[in-house]
Amino acid sequence: MRHFLDFEKPIADLEGKIEELKHLSGTGEMNIADEVGKLQAKVERQLRATYQKLTAWQKVQVARHSDRPHALDAIEHLIEDFQPLAGDRSFADDAAIVGGIGRFRGRSVMVIGTEKGATTEQRVRRSFGMARPEGYRKARRLMQMADRFALPILTFVDTAGAYPGIDAEARGQAEAIARSIETCLAVRVPVIATIIGEGGSGGAVALAVGNRVLMFEHAVYSVISPEGCASILWRSGEFTKDAAEALKMTAQDLERLGVIDAIVPEPLGGAHRNPKVALSSLGKAIGEALDDLAKRDGGQLRIERRDKFLAMGAAED
Amino acid sequence: MNWITNSVLPKIQALVRREVPDNLWHKCVACGQMIFHRDLEQNLHVCPECGHHLRIGPIERLKMVFDEGKYDTIQLPKPALDPLKFRDQKRYTDRLREAQTKTGRNDAMVVAHGTIGGVPAVAAVFDFGFMGGSMGTGVGDALVRAAKLAETQNAALLVFPSSGGARMQEGILSLMQMPRTVAAVDRIKERGLPFIVILTDPTTGGVTASFAMLGDIHLAEPGSIIGFAGQRVIQETIREQLPDGFQRAEYLLEHGMVDAVVHRKDLKATLGRILALLLRPRPTAQIVALPQPDVEIPGKAPATKDDGKSTNHVADTRTPAGESD
C-alpha cells in the first residue's frame, strides 16, 4: 500500500481509479487498456505539475516520507561486499549511525550514514536516526580508519538532528559532533557527502563536511527544523510553513547559496515512488564526483576542503 | 486610558528617573540581592552574596584578562547583509540594525590582542547582548580573523563563547559556520599555538558543537550553562525531570568535558599560568642559574651531560618567536 502525502491526494484518487479499473478488467467485462492508459498519462501530468513546484514545506514532507530510500537502502543498492563495522570503542554502538567498508564501482570505500529505520521497531532501536555521542564517535573512528587506508569516504545523511537527551549531554554530544566535523576536515581522502532525506542541523553537518556535498532533488538541509524555527521566532507552531520557506532549506536554494555542489535528480514523483531509480541516479552522481576527486593527492583534498568551508559566508573586504 | 496615564505619568516618571538613576543598583539574578554598581564592578560582576557570575559584556571581559587592562581591538568587516532575505515577524535586517545600534558593533563578536602575563594572546569574545551571541557569518568572519591574527603574531588564541548557538535568521549559512570555525582553529593548532576556550554562560547549540569543544584547554566560569541541546527541547523529548545542576559548568567538569571551573577573580592568573607553561616551556634563567653542587653524585649519570643542557637554558632567556615586536 502506497503512502500518500496530503498534497498528493489528486494523484492518489487517479491511481485508485486505475486500480479499480484493473480489478474490473480482471473479470473480463470490458477492454479498459485505453482508459487505463489515459489515466496513467493523467497521473504523470499531475505528478509533473505537483513536483515541479513543490513548496518548501511540501519538500520537508517528501524528505521525511517513510518510503524514501534510507542510508541502508543506499548501501544495499550501491555498495558491494559491504562489511558493517560497529562501535565507538569506548561506550557503545549507536544504531542511529551505520557504517562499514565496501566496494563502490570496484573501489574500496568507507561508508557512513544516519539511518532512521524502516519499521517501527527499527525506528525505535535507531532513535529515528538521531545519533548520540557514541554514534559520532563511531563515525570519527571510521573516518580515521579510512584515512589510514586511503579509502574515499561516502556519507549518507538523513536525520532530524542529534539526539537531545540527558544521556547524550552527559557523554558530550557537543564535543562528539565537533570532533566529527574536525575529522571530516582533517582526512586526506575524498569525502563525498549526500543529503538523501532530511539534513537536520548539527547532527547532519557532523557528517557532511565534504569535498563534494550532494543533495537529492527533494531533500532538505537546515540549521533548525521548520517546526523549531516557528516555535522560537514566531512563537507558534502555526507558522511552520512560513518558517520552512524563510529558512531556504531546499536543494535548489542551497545550490543557489553555494552551500552544496550538485543536485541529484529524483524520479518523477519523488524518490519514494521509485527508490531504485533514485539510488541509481545517486550512484551516477557519486561516481562522477569520485572520479574527479580521485585524481588529487591527499594534502590537496584536505586543503581544498578546508578552504571551501573557510569561505562559506565570508564577508567581502 | 486617559491623558493622565498617557502623557502626565510618563513625564513624572521621566523626572523621577533622572533624579534616581535606576542603574545604580543591580539585582543578582540568582539570589535577588541588590548590589551597588561600584561594588559589583569591583567584584568583577560576581555577586558578593552568593558568588553568582553575572553575564558581562566583551569590553569588561577584555579589561579583566589582558595585562593592565590594555588591549587593541581589530576592525571587523561588516557581515554580508541578510543573504536569505529572512523575515519572521520582523525582518532580519531590522533585527540586525537594532542590535548594531544597541551595541555599536557590527556583529556579536569582539576581537582584541594584547598580552596576558606577558605572553601574547588574541581574544575573541562573544557579545551575548547582540542577538543572544548567536553565530552567523559575522561571527564566523570574526573568528577566522582572530585565528589569522594569532597566527601572524605567534600568539595564543582565546575564545570566550557566550551564545545561544547558530543564528537561525541566517539559515544554512549559520550552520556552515560550524565547519568554518572548526577549520579556522585547526590552523592555529597546526601552527602549534594554544587554543583555549573559556566557556561562559551560556554556551549552547552550534557554538558548543563546533570550535568551543575543540580547545586544547577548556576553562569554564562557575554555574555557566554549557551544552548542546536546549533544556526545553530535552524535556519535551524525554518528558523527564532534568537532574540538578544539569549542563552547568560543574556538571561538565564531572563529565570530563572541561579542565577546570575557574572563579572570575582567578581567571587572569590561571590564563597567565597556562600560557606561560605552554608558550615558554624552557626554564627561566633564574631557576637554572641556581648554584649546582660541584661534586659527582655516585650512581647518577655523569653531570657533564646535564650541565651541557643547563648551559643552553641559561643562555636561553629569549621570548617566544614573534613576541619581540
Side-chain angles (χ1 to χ4, degrees), chain A residues 169 233 302 306 310 312, chain B residues 89 180 190 228-229 247:
Chain A
E169 295 290 320
L233 290 183
R302 180 166 181 247
R306 181 160 78 182
L310 273 173
M312 290 267 178
Chain B
Q89 289 166 309
R180 188 178 180 210
E190 258 178 32
F228 176 63
Q247 291 184 330

Side-chain angles (χ1 to χ4, degrees), chain B residues 20 25 35 53 108 180 194 258 288 305 315:
Chain B
V20 190
W25 291 85
I35 316 158
H53 284 52
R180 188 178 180 210
V258 303
V288 184
K305 205 174 172 191

Side-chain angles (χ1 to χ4, degrees), chain A residues 130 137 161-167 169-179 181-183 185-186 188 199-205 208-209 221-224 228-235 239 242-243 246-248 254 257 259 302 306-307 309-317, chain B residues 77-80 83-89 95 137-138 141 144-145 166-184 186-187 189-190 205 208-211 213-215 218 226-230 232-234 237-238 240-243 246-247 251 255 257:
Chain A
M130 294 188 287
R137 291 184 181 130
Y163 183 75
I166 297 173
D167 59 337
E169 295 290 320
R171 293 196 291 276
Q173 184 72 293
E175 194 263 358
I177 292 171
R179 292 279 172 217
I181 294 173
E182 186 186 45
T183 312
L185 284 164
R188 289 160 190 274
S201 195
V205 78
V209 186
Y221 188 14
S222 162
V223 66
I224 187 171
C229 182
S231 108
I232 296 171
L233 290 183
W234 278 267
R235 300 182 191 284
F239 294 91
D242 303 81
L247 282 167
K248 304 277 192 294
L254 298 199
L257 289 166
V259 170
R302 180 166 181 247
R306 181 160 78 182
D307 288 348
F309 283 91
L310 273 173
M312 290 267 178
E316 286 163 36
D317 283 285
Chain B
K78 273 219 168 200
L84 267 59
K85 307 267 170 284
F86 194 95
R87 179 181 196 148
D88 46 82
Q89 289 166 309
R95 283 188 199 262
T137 54
D141 282 331
V144 168
R145 264 152 224 254
R167 186 173 298 166
M168 260 177 290
Q169 291 89 344
E170 290 190 20
I172 193 76
L173 289 173
S174 71
L175 190 68
M176 289 304 121
Q177 301 313 302
M178 292 173 68
R180 188 178 180 210
T181 53
V182 172
D186 255 3
R187 292 171 40 143
K189 293 182 182 174
E190 258 178 32
T208 327
S210 58
F211 67 88
M213 275 291 136
L214 298 177
H218 297 164
I226 305 156
F228 176 63
R232 201 168 52 96
V233 176
I234 297 174
T237 310
I238 59 166
E240 263 177 61
Q241 199 64 31
L242 299 175
F246 180 63
Q247 291 184 330
Y251 178 91
H255 286 85
M257 286 298 144

Side-chain angles (χ1 to χ4, degrees), chain B residues 13-28 33-38 40:
Chain B
Q13 279 163 351
L15 276 176
V16 173
R17 236 179 251 143
R18 230 168 277 156
E19 278 161 27
V20 190
D22 55 4
N23 56 358
L24 284 182
W25 291 85
H26 291 266
K27 193 176 177 181
C28 171
Q33 178 74 22
M34 297 303 289
I35 316 158
F36 190 56
H37 71 110
R38 256 183 233 129
L40 193 60

Side-chain angles (χ1 to χ4, degrees), chain B residues 59-92:
Chain B
I59 301 306
E60 283 105 330
R61 177 67 68 187
L62 292 169
K63 282 186 185 155
M64 200 175 280
V65 294
F66 280 114
D67 292 339
E68 288 127 40
K70 279 191 205 146
Y71 56 84
D72 291 306
T73 53
I74 64 162
Q75 188 77 35
L76 295 168
K78 273 219 168 200
L81 205 64
D82 195 14
L84 267 59
K85 307 267 170 284
F86 194 95
R87 179 181 196 148
D88 46 82
Q89 289 166 309
K90 238 186 200 177
R91 276 201 192 92
Y92 172 48

